[in-house]
Amino acid sequence: MASGQSSPLAEHRKTITSESPAKILRRILSSPGLHQTPACFDALSSKLVERAGFNVGFTRFSISSARLGMPDTGLISYGEIVEQGRLITDAVSIPVIGDADTGYGNAMNVKRTVKGYIKAGFAGIMIEDQVLPKACGHTRGRKVVSREEAVMRIRAAVDAREESGSDIVIVARTDSRQAVSFEESLWRTRAFAEVGADVLFIDALASKGEMKAFCETAPQIPKLANMLEGGGKTPILTPSELEDIGYKLVVYPLSLLGVSIKAMQDALIGIKSGHIPPVGTMPSFEEIKEIVGFNKYYDEENRYATKD
């Protein structure tokens, strides 16, 4: 059953104090079923993902949009992502996978990036094979590095993990389906698996048949699907369909960002015309206080209250 419908989160929380986020993520990846994860972009959105019962968090496209108000075209820096990631991982108890784009440079940069993501509290890190500056996977202008360099990035990530004594999950992504060919993308994912990738991801697959063929490649390695809401190149499938094909993780990259944009636009139109958002279109003040942690704060504050 998909995680958003019946989450095994409670079982994993029992081990949070004794296990690293990466170990928790590995436990989830080895458990039955497909695991859904709407992409979050800040501490609040990550808390909402956890409160909704999802057992994995994911960050990608939407951080650049939310933090900079800019597109996901490689403009956001390593330091900005690590800072945002630390705030996100600190806000939740579920493991979070962080998108590291190309690793921010050559193999040595990839190693530094992996170590930085470990320190930031990420349970997983996604490295891709695009050239710099990168492009969003479902937009135009994608180009990939050579096979040798693509594999070297993943090998460097694996080396950094071992040198750190960490078990961070390495998600290897290729954009070669659209940049080169479907056959090339399969070759690259097989090569990524051979050098130690933990999860494989081909972005912008163009058909259900391609998705099935991908899941049959290196079958022992979990596969990640990207359901780009609103119309990307990959068919939108239901969680049960994705599970039947062979996927283990599915990301919804735009849902939280998209509905947030629309809600803010609607609220601003109303305020400009003299109306506040009507009841039912936003949480009550009491609900907002509960979500952001006021009540928890007050309870803890009372432990330190004095009689003065």
Side-chain angles (χ1 to χ4, degrees), residues 5-303:
Q5 298 168 354
S6 179
S7 171
L9 178 58
E11 297 176 13
H12 302 300
R13 277 180 170 155
K14 297 176 184 177
T15 61
I16 284 174
T17 56
S18 60
E19 289 187 317
S20 69
K23 284 183 179 178
I24 299 167
L25 178 56
R26 289 180 183 278
R27 185 188 297 274
I28 292 168
L29 290 173
S30 65
S31 66
L34 176 81
H35 302 282
Q36 300 168 279
T37 173
C40 56
F41 47 85
D42 58 14
L44 178 58
S45 60
S46 67
K47 290 180 74 170
L48 292 174
V49 168
E50 182 176 33
R51 284 172 62 92
F54 295 94
N55 61 2
V56 183
F58 205 98
T59 68
R60 32 180 328 207
F61 180 102
S62 47
I63 285 185
S64 182
S65 303
R67 185 178 172 97
L68 304 181
M70 292 182 172
D72 180 33
T73 53
L75 295 171
I76 195 164
S77 70
Y78 160 78
E80 289 167 319
I81 287 288
V82 167
E83 180 184 4
Q84 193 81 344
R86 187 175 294 111
L87 295 173
I88 289 170
T89 60
D90 281 349
V92 295
S93 60
I94 59 174
V96 180
I97 300 170
D99 186 353
D101 290 340
T102 62
Y104 303 99
N106 63 16
M108 296 304 294
N109 292 100
V110 170
K111 294 181 73 172
R112 177 174 183 259
T113 297
V114 171
K115 293 175 182 179
Y117 273 47
I118 293 169
K119 292 178 181 178
F122 282 113
I125 181 170
M126 185 163 72
I127 304 287
E128 65 189 59
D129 60 358
Q130 287 198 53
V131 300
L132 285 170
K134 64 150 287 176
C136 172
H138 291 255
T139 58
R140 65 184 183 182
R142 275 158 303 149
K143 297 179 181 179
V144 293
V145 297
S146 68
R147 286 181 172 184
E148 182 181 15
E149 185 174 348
V151 174
M152 193 63 68
R153 286 179 183 175
I154 304 305
R155 180 176 288 120
V158 172
D159 289 345
R161 176 179 63 195
E162 294 176 354
E163 291 168 8
S164 301
S166 168
D167 51 3
I168 190 169
V169 172
I170 296 172
V171 182
R173 163 181 164 171
T174 180
D175 286 77
S176 56
R177 166 61 188 93
Q178 296 297 324
V180 184
S181 68
F182 177 56
E183 291 71 22
E184 178 68 14
S185 67
L186 293 181
W187 186 96
R188 292 189 180 215
T189 53
R190 284 193 292 265
F192 295 159
E194 289 173 0
V195 296
D198 300 297
V199 177
L200 301 175
F201 170 38
I202 300 177
D203 201 18
L205 290 171
S207 70
K208 188 174 180 179
E210 289 187 355
M211 298 167 77
K212 187 174 186 298
F214 166 49
C215 287
E216 292 170 350
T217 301
Q220 74 280 11
I221 307 296
K223 307 302 192 299
L224 181 147
N226 179 31
M227 296 288 96
L228 183 64
E229 310 89 322
K233 296 184 180 298
T234 303
I236 300 297
L237 304 181
T238 66
S240 60
E241 288 176 315
L242 291 168
E243 183 177 350
D244 288 343
I245 287 174
Y247 282 100
K248 178 57 64 174
L249 288 171
V250 55
V251 179
Y252 301 91
L254 295 182
S255 290
L256 298 188
L257 178 68
V259 298
S260 298
I261 290 172
K262 183 62 167 63
M264 287 189 283
Q265 288 175 328
D266 290 345
L268 290 168
I269 291 171
I271 291 170
K272 193 171 184 179
S273 62
H275 306 287
I276 63 171
V279 175
T281 63
M282 62 177 284
S284 68
F285 183 46
E286 290 301 318
E287 290 171 327
I288 291 174
K289 288 195 295 182
E290 173 63 27
I291 289 169
V292 301
F294 272 101
N295 295 334
K296 182 178 179 181
Y297 173 87
Y298 293 145
D299 290 341
E300 186 171 358
E301 184 184 41
N302 287 336
R303 293 173 51 197

